[in-house]
Amino acid sequence: DTEVTQTPKHLVMGMTNKKSLKCEQHMGHRAMYWYKQKAKKPPELMFVYSYEKLSINESVPSRFSPECPNSSLLNLHLHALQPEDSALYLCASSQTLAGGIVDTQYFGPGTRLTVL
Amino acid sequence: AQTVTQSQPEMSVQEAETVTLSCTYDTSESDYYLFWYKQPPSRQMILVIRQEAYKQQNATENRFSVNFQKAAKSFSLKISDSQLGDAAMYFCAYRSAREYGNKLVFGAGTILRVKS
């Protein structure tokens, strides 16, 4: 059973819609991540939060807006997306960003996003 | 910058047999971590096994073991007694112990098919 949960499992949206993806973890982790994954490709890092503050933005377009309301929750707000943004969006968490072996990343099941 | 290479896009194995997935990496660092993640068609990335570079002993987790050759920068995954549930995309990943951000560098992945 995953300890990182993501909702919704699937999302279909038009290019003018606004939607949000949600990620939750109950492992007491203080670092959380958003990844984008295209079919049969490795995940690509988008954002990293540490202690609820944005630490890394991998030059992601502003139509993706992350938010970390508390240490257990991570949201990704979507607005004016393009069809090429259709992908699997994965959330992950780790104990911290300190970089030790305990900071292994654990992934959620993902949200399959389709932009029409 | 570090790179990870998985030279086998696809592999097949007969149920109950053993298969080895290859992974090589390039780094100038001496302190790092290596991971194998499994992603079944159900999408969730699951940690299979991890290795600390300073440990010479190869990591094992039940039927999964690694052959870590630090000098050769090789980190192969051996799956013994293969089961139908092992069918998945396998990603090898590198993480620096020094660089900020806890970033994973993924290989391109290997699709493993298990034949009954």
Side-chain angles (χ1 to χ4, degrees):
Chain A
D1 287 340
T2 178
E3 294 189 71
V4 180
T5 59
Q6 290 187 243
T7 54
K9 284 189 168 57
H10 301 273
L11 179 63
V12 179
M13 62 185 290
M15 289 190 286
T16 58
N17 292 158
K18 285 185 181 181
K19 297 285 185 183
S20 296
L21 310 184
K22 179 179 170 182
C23 173
E24 197 164 4
Q25 57 89 12
H26 295 287
M27 295 182 280
H29 288 174
R30 303 313 298 268
M32 296 184 76
Y33 311 73
W34 279 116
Y35 288 86
K36 173 183 178 180
Q37 186 181 25
K38 291 284 201 178
K40 297 188 178 180
K41 297 290 187 184
E44 299 171 21
L45 184 65
M46 300 174 71
F47 302 103
V48 181
Y49 272 82
S50 176
Y51 290 87
E52 294 121 67
K53 293 192 186 313
L54 183 63
S55 292
I56 296 173
N57 176 343
E58 294 285 271
S59 303
V60 178
S62 60
R63 57 186 184 269
F64 295 91
S65 175
E67 178 197 19
C68 190
N70 60 57
S71 59
S72 302
L73 271 176
L74 186 66
N75 297 320
L76 186 63
H77 302 298
L78 313 172
H79 173 56
L81 294 192
Q82 304 297 310
E84 59 264 29
D85 296 322
S86 298
L88 181 67
Y89 287 83
L90 294 168
C91 173
S93 71
S94 66
Q95 198 160 315
T96 67
L97 290 188
I101 192 63
V102 296
D103 295 312
T104 297
Q105 291 185 35
Y106 296 92
F107 288 81
T111 293
R112 173 76 64 197
L113 174 67
T114 303
V115 181
L116 301 175
Chain B
Q2 301 92 1
T3 58
V4 176
T5 301
Q6 293 179 250
S7 58
Q8 305 150 317
E10 291 191 25
M11 293 280 285
S12 290
V13 63
Q14 202 67 36
E15 208 175 356
E17 295 191 346
T18 296
V19 64
T20 299
L21 307 185
S22 300
C23 173
T24 58
Y25 57 94
D26 188 27
T27 184
S28 58
E29 299 178 327
S30 59
D31 196 9
Y32 51 87
Y33 304 99
L34 296 164
F35 306 86
W36 279 99
Y37 283 93
K38 165 187 176 181
Q39 189 174 35
S42 62
R43 310 176 315 195
Q44 181 162 8
M45 292 266 285
I46 302 165
L47 177 69
V48 175
I49 201 165
R50 59 189 179 182
Q51 176 81 39
E52 296 161 85
Y54 64 86
K55 287 190 176 179
Q56 292 191 341
Q57 187 172 7
N58 290 327
T60 62
E61 288 286 345
N62 302 313
R63 297 182 295 107
F64 298 88
S65 61
V66 297
N67 183 3
F68 173 49
Q69 302 287 329
K70 191 171 184 180
K73 296 180 184 174
S74 171
F75 183 61
S76 60
L77 175 69
K78 185 170 90 170
I79 307 174
S80 303
D81 186 25
S82 297
Q83 300 175 0
L84 293 176
D86 294 333
M89 173 82 96
Y90 286 79
F91 291 102
C92 178
Y94 169 102
R95 175 164 67 80
S96 169
R98 303 279 180 219
E99 283 185 16
Y100 177 75
N102 211 27
K103 293 183 184 182
L104 291 169
V105 179
F106 287 97
T110 297
I111 297 172
L112 178 65
R113 305 189 195 281
V114 181
K115 301 175 186 175
S116 59

